Amino acid sequence: MRGRLGTAAGAVVVMLVLGVWPPEVLQRGRGDGTAQHALLTLLVQPTEPYVLIPLVAVMVAVSALHRDRAAVLLCLAGPTVPLALNTWLLKPLFGHHIDGYLAYPSGHTVGLVSVLAVLVLLARPGTARATTALVAAAVTTAAGFGLVGFGYHYPVDVVGGTCFAVAAVLTLSLATHPARAPSAGSPRAGTSSGSPPAASPR
């Protein structure tokens, strides 16, 4: 629990700092979509609603089949809550405009990373989770290049969106998947919760 909370708090701090004092190096390199247009189109596909909505639906269905209500709740709230907060609170709060629209934090990035973060949290701990996290990082990086290359965002918008999405999903996971307190000890064999076994009828 402390690890998730600490990571979420750190991500929020980074997002706030970038929103208030964006470094010059992260406000460069915005393209116009003319170079490598086909490649850029491919890179941004994972950020589109017609990709993310079916993916979330599959995640919900799998969680429901496993009768994991907490996972179903995280799959639904994980993407929707960050997107709503980003659209209605953060973007107007920071007021960073590109060509007349609010750009910070990147909404496409928030949508993508929030879904990927849920996938990482629901993956089995160990190799599966590590592999999922690596794939998620690669997809996010590629999508970020696409968004910047098309001129939709500056790099700072993508980084800020990533930080906010991670922080939001980790915070939501604390409510849906709270850490369990360690057991004081395992019950003895043949007992339930440490109580003595009932006498067998003779």
Side-chain angles (χ1 to χ4, degrees), residues 1 9 44 50 69 73 84 93-94 101 103 113 122 140 164 189 191 196:
M1 178 177 177
V44 300
Y50 55 76
R69 295 181 179 178
L73 180 59
L93 177 66
F94 290 111
Y101 63 87
V113 175
L122 295 184
T140 300
F164 175 65
T191 66

Side-chain angles (χ1 to χ4, degrees), residues 27-121:
Q27 297 186 88
R28 300 173 182 171
R30 187 167 71 97
D32 57 9
T34 57
Q36 302 294 328
H37 186 277
L39 176 60
L40 295 176
T41 300
L42 179 64
L43 293 179
V44 300
Q45 290 306 300
T47 70
E48 298 293 348
Y50 55 76
V51 174
L52 294 177
I53 292 175
L55 178 57
V56 171
V58 171
M59 292 162 56
V60 170
V62 172
S63 299
L65 286 174
H66 285 84
R67 298 182 180 180
D68 190 340
R69 295 181 179 178
V72 170
L73 180 59
L74 184 60
C75 290
L76 293 173
T80 56
V81 172
L83 277 172
L85 290 175
N86 187 63
T87 300
W88 301 109
L89 177 63
L90 294 183
K91 284 193 173 187
L93 177 66
F94 290 111
H96 293 193
H97 287 82
I98 292 179
D99 298 333
Y101 63 87
L102 293 169
Y104 184 88
S106 164
H108 281 81
T109 305
V110 170
L112 172 64
V113 175
S114 60
V115 173
L116 295 178
V118 172
L119 277 174
V120 172
L121 289 176

